[in-house]
Amino acid sequence: MDWGGMSITLGISLALSYALTFLVRWGALKLGWTHRPDPRKWRRQTNPHTAPIAMGGGFAILGSVVLSAALLPSPPFLLLLFGAVAFSLGFYDDLRSPRPIYRLLLQFLLASFSVTFIGWVKGFPDGLAILLSVVGIAGMMNSVNMMDNMDGVASGLMTLAMLGFAVLGAVTNNPQVTVLGVLVAGAALGFWWHNRPPARIFMGDAGSLLLGYLLAVTAILASRGEFGHWLGRVGAPFLLLSVFLTDTAFVVLWRARHGLPVMQGDRNHTSHRLAVLAGSEWRANLALYTMQLMMGICALGVSLLPPLPSALLILFAIALLALFAHRLWQVDVEDGESDGSGDGA
C-alpha cells in the first residue's frame, strides 16, 4: 500500500468511527446505558465530568474496523473473526464482571487459536516464539484494558501506536501491517474525538480488549517484515508496545509491593499519577502521547539503523521509560478506585 492508499484507508476508518461513535453515544443516552462518575473519588481539576457518560463505544470501534476492512481488496476475515471474539469477551465483562481467572482462561484460549491460525512472532526458536506470542496476546489485551483508565488515554495511545506500526510496515515491506495499522488507527482516532477529556463516551472492556488484541497481533505480524538484523525484528515492535507495557509493569509492581490484588482497579496507573503531577487530564494525556511518539521514533530508528546504534537506541528508550516510571512512583495519589473510562484493573 502506497502513502496515498494509506491516507485514504485511514480517512475512511476515521470517518466511520467518528460517525458510528456519535450514533452509539446517542443511542446509549436514549437507553440510559451510562456511567456517572463519583466526584468524591477524584479531584475536581483532574476529573471534570458533570454529566453521565455514554457506554458502548466498543461497538463503534468494532463497526468501523469491520466496515473499513470490508472495502479492502482482500479483507482479513480470520483476524476480524478473532477480533470479534475478543470484543465479545470484553462485552461479557462489561455485563457480568466474571472472575478474573475465567477471563484470563478465555483470553489464553483465544490467543492459542490466533497463534495456531495466524502465526507467531519471528526472531525466536519456534517453541519459545509460540509461548511468547500466546502470552503476549493475552497480556496486551489486559494491558490496553488497564490503560483504559482515564479519558482519552487508551484511544490516543492506540492511535499513535498503530500509526507507528503502519509506518514500520511501510519501511519493512510488510503491507499487511501497514493496512492493519491505518485501519485500527483510524478507528481509534475517530473514537478518541468523543473520548478525549472530558469524555462523552467510554469504550468499555469490549473496546479495550478488541484494541489490545489487534495491537498484539499487529506486533506479531510486524516481526515478519524485512529487517536488516535481529534487534530490529524484535526491538521495533517491542518499543511500539512499551508505553502500555510500562504502565502494566508499574501497576503490577505497585500492587505487589503494597499487598493489593493485581486485578483490583485503583488509581495508581501512570496516567492517574501524571494527572495529579501535572494538574489535569489533558496534560497527563499529552505527556503519555509524547512518550508514545518518542518510542515510535526510536522503533523506526531501530528498524533502519545497523545493530550497534540500534542496541544503543533500545537502551536509551528503556532508560527513559525507567526514569519516567521512577518519577511517577514518588507521586502521592489519593486512596480510592479509579473513576475513569472503564478500567477493569
Side-chain angles (χ1 to χ4, degrees):
M1 177 180 286
D2 58 22
W3 295 104
M6 288 174 59
S7 300
I8 293 172
T9 303
L10 178 66
I12 292 172
S13 180
L14 168 60
L16 284 170
S17 179
Y18 179 89
L20 288 174
T21 305
F22 180 87
L23 292 174
V24 169
R25 176 175 177 267
W26 177 83
L29 292 174
K30 287 291 185 181
L31 294 172
W33 189 17
T34 61
H35 171 70
R36 183 183 292 274
D38 186 345
R40 296 172 299 176
K41 295 182 179 179
W42 266 101
R43 301 175 185 177
R44 172 65 181 148
Q45 66 269 27
T46 57
N47 187 32
H49 294 295
T50 58
I53 302 99
M55 298 295 293
F59 283 95
I61 296 171
L62 176 65
S64 60
V65 170
V66 171
L67 291 175
S68 301
L71 300 176
L72 297 172
S74 300
F77 291 115
L78 187 58
L79 179 58
L80 294 175
L81 175 62
F82 287 147
V85 173
F87 170 88
S88 300
L89 294 178
F91 187 54
Y92 183 75
D93 288 351
D94 290 328
L95 295 177
R96 300 293 184 181
S97 298
R99 292 177 60 184
I101 185 63
Y102 298 142
R103 180 172 61 187
L104 281 173
L105 286 173
L106 290 172
Q107 290 169 356
F108 272 101
L109 183 61
L110 172 61
S112 298
F113 274 100
S114 300
V115 171
T116 300
F117 292 102
I118 295 177
W120 49 85
V121 66
K122 298 297 182 182
F124 299 95
D126 284 350
L128 178 59
I130 291 171
L131 177 62
L132 288 173
S133 299
V134 170
V135 173
I137 291 173
M140 284 310 302
M141 290 172 71
N142 286 286
S143 189
V144 175
N145 177 249
M146 293 176 76
M147 187 63 93
D148 182 34
N149 55 66
M150 199 172 72
D151 301 352
V153 172
S155 54
L157 289 176
M158 276 296 307
T159 300
L160 295 172
M162 294 305 285
L163 285 175
F165 275 114
V167 175
L168 181 65
V171 301
T172 59
N173 195 27
N174 193 339
Q176 188 177 19
V177 167
T178 299
V179 170
L180 278 175
V182 292
L183 278 178
V184 182
L189 182 56
F191 175 79
W192 173 88
W193 186 259
H194 301 272
N195 182 241
R196 71 195 195 281
R200 290 164 287 174
I201 187 170
F202 291 158
M203 70 174 72
D205 288 354
S208 61
L209 292 189
L210 168 64
L211 289 177
Y213 175 81
L214 293 173
L215 180 62
V217 173
T218 303
I220 289 172
L221 296 175
S223 70
R224 302 178 180 183
E226 296 178 359
F227 293 91
H229 49 81
W230 180 84
L231 277 175
R233 185 177 305 282
V234 173
F238 166 78
L239 290 175
L240 286 168
L241 303 177
S242 60
V243 175
F244 289 99
L245 296 174
T246 298
D247 178 74
T248 301
F250 185 97
V251 172
V252 170
L253 289 173
W254 176 270
R255 292 173 185 172
R257 172 69 175 79
H258 293 83
L260 301 172
V262 172
M263 299 303 292
Q264 175 181 300
D266 59 30
R267 295 192 296 112
N268 284 301
H269 290 268
T270 53
S271 53
H272 298 138
R273 290 168 177 269
L274 277 168
V276 172
L277 184 65
S280 76
E281 287 191 354
W282 262 119
R283 294 192 187 101
N285 273 268
L286 290 174
L288 286 167
Y289 298 163
T290 300
M291 187 63 69
Q292 181 64 50
L293 281 171
M294 293 178 68
M295 293 302 107
I297 292 170
C298 289
L300 185 61
V302 167
S303 70
L304 296 173
L305 293 172
L308 180 58
S310 294
L312 295 175
L313 195 54
I314 292 173
L315 291 175
F316 166 78
I318 292 174
L320 187 63
L321 290 168
L323 289 172
F324 176 70
H326 180 265
R327 176 66 184 92
L328 293 180
W329 192 276
Q330 303 170 47
V331 176
D332 290 328
V333 184
E334 295 175 358
D335 292 333
E337 191 169 312
S338 169
D339 217 324
S341 54
D343 174 28

